[in-house]
Amino acid sequence: MTKSALLKHGNICMALLLVLFAPVATAATFWQVSGPQSPMLVAFLAGTLLSASVAAIIVSQQPLHRLLYATTTAVVLAYLANTTHYFSYLLAPLLVLHVWLALRSEQFRYQVVTCFSACGTALVLAGAMYWQLTPGLLVVALLPVFLAELMLVRAPQVQVQQAGTEESKTADILELPDRAGFRSAFYDFRQRDPSAAMLVMIRLEGFQQVNFHLGREFGDLLLAQSANRIKQHLQHPDVMPVPLGNDVSRLAHLGGLHFVFVCSLVNQHHLHEQMINEIIESTLKPFNVGNCTIEVKARASYVNCDEEQGQFENLLTCAFLALDSQPDSPIAPYQQQMQINRLEQQARLAELAHIDFRKELELYFQPVVRNEDGDIEFLELLLRWQHPKQGILAAGKFIEDIRIAGLALPVAQYVIERAAEIALALRVEGISMPLSLNLFGPEMLHEEFIEFIDHVLLEHQLKPGDLIIECPSSLFTSLDPQGIAMVSRLRSIGIRLCIDSFGETPVTLSKLPQLTVDYVKLGRSLTLDHGNQGSFKSVVRGIVEMQQIQECKVICEGVESPEQLQFVKSLNTFAAQGYYFARPLSSVGMISWLKQWRWEHPEDASVSPQPDSH
C-alpha cells in the first residue's frame, strides 16, 4: 500500500473514531451526571440519531433506503418520547427490512454491520420491554447502520463525479442502466424466475463515419435516438425490468455501441426472435441528425440464460463471440461449437507463429476442363496445411488465421514461388500448362508483392500467361484508383487474372460491366440445383453473354455429375471444374497425373493449350 493510501485510510479511521467517540463520551457523561432515564440524555441521543439519519438520507443513492432511514428514525424518536410497546412492534419489521436490503447489496462490510446492528437493536428492545433497560440504548445500537451508509456509499459517488470520461457522458445522454446495474437485476430476475430465458445483445454499426464527419456530439445524439427506437420494442411484460433510480428500464447499455436485454420465454418461445426482427427493421429506417440523413445498421446475437451455468459475464462473452463469429449475419445465435472453434483458432494462431512454410504448407491441384474439346485449360493450385493435430486443412479453414497472424503477404509470396517452381518442372518435362493460384485478396495490391512476382517470373524464365491469379470477387468490386493501377501492373508483367466464386451477390452483378479480367468463375450456387433452375437459367446465361462481350472466359465451379456438366455446357460457358473431373490431388504427383490424363484422353489432347500473350 502506498503512502498516500495509508494516509487516506488513516484519516478515514480517525474521522470514524471521532464520530463514534463523541456521542458515546457525551452520553456517558450525561449518564453519570443525570442517570440513564434523564430527559437530557434522551434528548441528546435523539438529536444524534436524527443527525445521522439526515446525513445517511443525503448520501444514499437508493430511494428505498432513504425511505427506510426516515421511517426508522421517526419510529425510534416516537419510542423515546413515549416508551410504549406499540412503537417497539413497529420497529421490529423495520429491522428485518434493513437486514433484507443489506443482504441484497454486494457490499459485504455493509451486510455485516447492518446485521450486527439489527441484532443489537433487537436485544436492546427486548431488554427495554422485559428488563427495564434504558430506551436510549436503541440509538447506540442503530447508529452503525447510518454510519455504514455514510462510509460505504459516499466513495462511489466521489469516483463518479471525478470520472469525466466520454463513456459516462454517453451514459447520461442515454439514461440507461449500466453493466453493473444490469448484472444485479439479472441475478435477481433469475432467482425469482429460473425458467427459460434469452439474453439478447444488440450491436450498432455505421457510427465511425458519423463521428468523423459530423463530430462525436452528433454521434452521441444518433446513439440516443437509436436506443430510443430499441426501447420502443421492449415494452413487453416478459422482458426483464432493470431498476433505474425511481424508474424502470428494460434495456441496458454495456458501453460503446452494445446494448443488452433479457426476455422470458415462458409465454412465447420465440419472443426474442420477434423482438430482434422488429429492432433491426426499425434501425434500418434513416435518422435525421444535424440536417443529415444517416443510416444505421443493427446486428444481434442471443444466448440461452442456462448456458455457462447462468453466469452473467460468461453469457456476455458468448453473445460477443456469436457476433464476432458470424460478421455477415444480422442475427447470430450462440452455439457451443463457437467456443470449440475459437479454442482451435487460438491454437492455430500459436502454431502459425512458428510455422515452416516448406514443411507444413503444400499445394494441391485440380484441373479446369474446356467444354469445347475436353482438354485442360489450366491447373488450379490449392493451398493446404498439413496440420500436426487436425490433419490436412483446406485454405478456407485457416485463411482468416493467416490474416490475423500478419502472414498474408509472406504466404502469398511462398505460394507464388512454389507455383513458379512447379511451372518450371512441367516445362522441363515438355508440358506447357498454365497454373492458377488463389490469393487472399488485398496482398496482391502491395507494391512489394508485385515487385516480388516480377522477380520470380524473370528468375524462373516464365512466359506471359504461365501464371494466373484468382482473387475473391469482393476485391474487384471495391477497387480504388490505386488498386486499379496495381491490377494493370500485374497484367502488364504477364499475369492473367481470374475472379473466383463470381455472381453470388447482387452487388457483384451490378459491377459486371466494369470488370476487365481473363477468367470468371461462376459460384457453385449458380449451377448446384441445375434441375430446377427454371427462369434463373436465363439469368446465368445473361451473365455468361455479358462476360463474353468483355472477352472474358466463363468457368463453372462445383460440377459433380454428367447432368451438371450438360447444364453448364447448355449455358455456352467456356470450361468447368469440379469433382466430376478430379478431386484435389497433391502436386507431388502432378506430372504423373498429367501424363496419365493425356494417355486416357488422346483425342482431347490433340490441341495443346498455349498461354495467351496478353
Side-chain angles (χ1 to χ4, degrees):
M1 187 178 294
T2 62
K3 181 178 179 180
S4 60
L6 287 173
L7 182 60
K8 177 181 177 182
H9 287 288
N11 292 334
I12 292 175
C13 293
M14 289 295 294
L16 289 176
L17 287 175
L18 290 174
V19 171
L20 289 172
F21 177 76
V24 172
T26 307
T29 303
F30 277 120
W31 188 298
Q32 185 176 7
V33 174
S34 305
Q37 302 294 340
S38 170
M40 292 181 62
L41 175 61
V42 174
F44 173 77
L45 292 175
T48 302
L49 178 66
L50 183 61
S51 300
S53 175
V54 171
I57 291 173
I58 292 174
V59 302
S60 178
Q61 297 176 346
Q62 300 295 329
L64 187 56
H65 282 211
R66 294 195 291 267
L67 178 62
L68 184 59
Y69 290 140
T71 305
T72 303
T73 303
V75 171
V76 173
L77 292 178
Y79 182 75
L80 292 177
N82 185 7
T83 56
T84 60
H85 295 317
Y86 175 76
F87 293 109
S88 64
Y89 296 147
L90 289 177
L91 189 58
L94 293 176
L95 294 176
V96 174
L97 190 57
H98 273 290
V99 174
W100 178 70
L101 289 177
L103 294 177
R104 288 188 60 190
S105 71
E106 298 181 357
Q107 304 182 48
F108 178 72
R109 290 181 296 176
Y110 180 69
Q111 294 173 351
V112 172
V113 170
T114 302
C115 290
F116 274 103
S117 180
C119 292
T121 304
L123 291 175
V124 172
L125 198 60
M129 294 173 61
Y130 299 107
W131 299 300
Q132 303 301 316
L133 292 179
T134 175
L137 292 176
L138 284 175
V139 177
V140 179
L142 275 174
L143 275 179
V145 174
F146 300 103
L147 295 176
E149 182 76 30
L150 293 173
M151 179 179 63
L152 298 178
V153 178
R154 181 180 297 177
Q157 288 182 332
V158 173
Q159 291 176 0
V160 170
Q161 293 173 358
Q162 293 176 350
T165 62
E166 293 294 333
E167 185 173 348
S168 63
K169 294 178 181 178
T170 303
D172 293 338
I173 296 174
L174 297 179
E175 296 181 350
L176 291 175
D178 59 5
R179 189 187 191 117
F182 189 82
R183 182 196 301 112
S184 177
F186 173 79
Y187 283 124
D188 291 343
F189 175 76
R190 295 299 291 166
Q191 187 174 7
R192 296 192 309 268
D193 183 11
S195 56
M198 284 286 180
L199 183 144
V200 180
M201 180 179 293
I202 305 294
R203 174 184 290 175
L204 299 178
E205 299 177 349
F207 280 75
Q208 184 176 1
Q209 294 299 323
V210 176
N211 293 333
F212 179 76
H213 293 290
L214 299 180
R216 187 164 294 276
E217 296 81 5
F218 288 101
D220 292 341
L221 181 59
L222 179 60
L223 187 63
Q225 292 184 10
S226 303
N228 288 333
R229 285 192 184 182
I230 297 174
K231 287 191 291 185
Q232 292 175 2
H233 300 283
L234 301 182
Q235 304 305 317
H236 194 283
D238 288 338
V239 179
M240 182 189 80
V242 184
L244 181 62
N246 296 326
D247 201 357
V248 169
S249 175
R250 300 185 184 275
L251 180 70
H253 182 222
L254 295 178
L257 302 175
H258 294 90
F259 299 85
V260 64
F261 66 90
V262 171
C263 59
S264 173
L265 305 183
V266 174
N267 299 317
Q268 298 185 39
H269 295 300
H270 301 283
L271 177 62
H272 59 292
E273 297 177 358
Q274 174 185 339
M275 290 184 170
I276 289 173
N277 289 326
E278 293 175 353
I279 290 171
I280 292 178
E281 290 179 4
S282 68
T283 53
L284 289 177
K285 299 177 182 178
F287 292 84
N288 188 359
V289 177
N291 296 323
C292 296
T293 301
I294 301 172
E295 295 182 355
V296 172
K297 180 181 177 182
R299 297 180 56 233
S301 65
Y302 59 86
V303 55
N304 194 309
C305 292
D306 293 327
E307 294 279 357
E308 301 293 332
Q309 291 79 44
Q311 296 299 312
F312 175 75
E313 296 296 339
N314 293 340
L315 293 177
L316 287 186
T317 300
C318 294
F320 277 113
L321 178 60
L323 284 172
D324 296 335
S325 300
Q326 304 179 43
D328 299 326
S329 176
I331 303 176
Y334 168 75
Q335 300 172 354
Q336 290 186 346
Q337 183 64 34
M338 294 176 178
Q339 295 280 13
I340 300 175
N341 294 341
R342 183 180 65 172
L343 294 175
E344 290 179 350
Q345 184 186 50
Q346 291 174 349
R348 288 195 299 268
L349 289 174
E351 291 162 348
L352 282 172
H354 308 285
I355 189 173
D356 186 336
F357 292 169
R358 287 281 175 180
K359 292 182 178 179
E360 298 186 42
L361 295 183
E362 181 57 72
L363 291 179
Y364 280 48
F365 73 94
Q366 190 178 34
V368 173
V369 180
R370 293 195 295 267
N371 292 329
E372 182 180 2
D373 55 16
D375 198 8
I376 299 175
E377 173 70 8
F378 60 83
L379 295 177
E380 179 181 2
L381 299 180
L382 305 168
L383 185 63
R384 296 291 185 265
W385 182 9
Q386 299 180 6
H387 195 275
K389 298 179 181 178
Q390 301 179 33
I392 299 177
L393 299 179
K397 292 287 187 179
F398 59 92
I399 280 182
E400 189 63 28
D401 303 332
I402 288 177
R403 288 198 185 103
I404 296 174
L407 296 175
L409 185 58
V411 170
Q413 292 175 337
Y414 166 75
V415 171
I416 288 288
E417 190 169 14
R418 284 286 294 122
E421 293 173 355
I422 294 173
L424 185 59
L426 290 175
R427 180 170 297 171
V428 171
E429 293 291 332
I431 302 174
S432 179
M433 179 64 62
L435 302 175
S436 77
L437 46 102
N438 286 275
L439 296 183
F440 315 119
E443 69 277 2
M444 67 173 283
L445 305 178
H446 286 213
E447 180 76 25
E448 179 184 354
F449 176 71
I450 296 178
E451 292 179 356
F452 177 80
I453 290 182
D454 196 15
H455 171 73
V456 169
L457 294 177
L458 293 174
E459 182 181 7
H460 293 80
Q461 299 179 356
L462 298 182
K463 298 179 181 179
D466 281 350
L467 293 183
I468 304 167
I469 291 181
E470 298 188 23
C471 286
S473 57
S474 58
L475 175 72
F476 289 92
T477 56
S478 59
L479 287 177
D480 55 14
Q482 182 179 359
I484 295 175
M486 291 297 179
V487 170
S488 299
R489 283 194 58 189
L490 283 172
R491 294 173 62 83
S492 67
I493 63 176
I495 298 295
R496 289 191 285 178
L497 299 177
C498 175
I499 301 178
D500 196 17
S501 300
F502 185 81
E504 294 187 344
T505 62
V507 175
T508 301
L509 295 178
S510 67
K511 300 285 185 176
L512 272 170
Q514 305 175 19
L515 299 176
T516 53
V517 294
D518 301 278
Y519 299 97
V520 165
K521 284 188 176 181
L522 295 184
R524 63 181 65 243
S525 63
L526 297 181
T527 58
L528 182 61
D529 192 12
H530 59 277
N532 298 308
Q533 289 286 344
S535 60
F536 188 65
K537 182 176 180 179
S538 61
V539 177
V540 180
R541 182 179 284 112
I543 297 175
V544 175
E545 292 175 354
M546 191 176 298
Q547 290 305 298
Q548 290 174 345
I549 294 175
Q550 299 291 327
E551 298 183 354
C552 181
K553 299 173 182 178
V554 178
I555 302 168
C556 285
E557 295 180 304
V559 176
E560 300 181 2
S561 65
E563 293 78 14
Q564 275 186 289
L565 179 59
Q566 187 63 33
F567 173 72
V568 299
K569 285 183 177 180
S570 69
L571 297 175
N572 198 25
T573 56
F574 176 75
Q577 180 182 15
Y579 290 171
Y580 175 72
F581 303 103
R583 291 180 176 271
L585 301 170
S586 174
S587 60
V588 175
M590 180 186 294
I591 295 176
S592 299
W593 184 90
L594 280 172
K595 291 181 178 179
Q596 180 70 18
W597 172 277
R598 294 293 173 82
W599 182 78
E600 294 177 353
H601 303 80
E603 297 179 359
D604 300 338
S606 58
V607 181
S608 177
Q610 297 295 328
D612 296 340
S613 59
H614 68 282

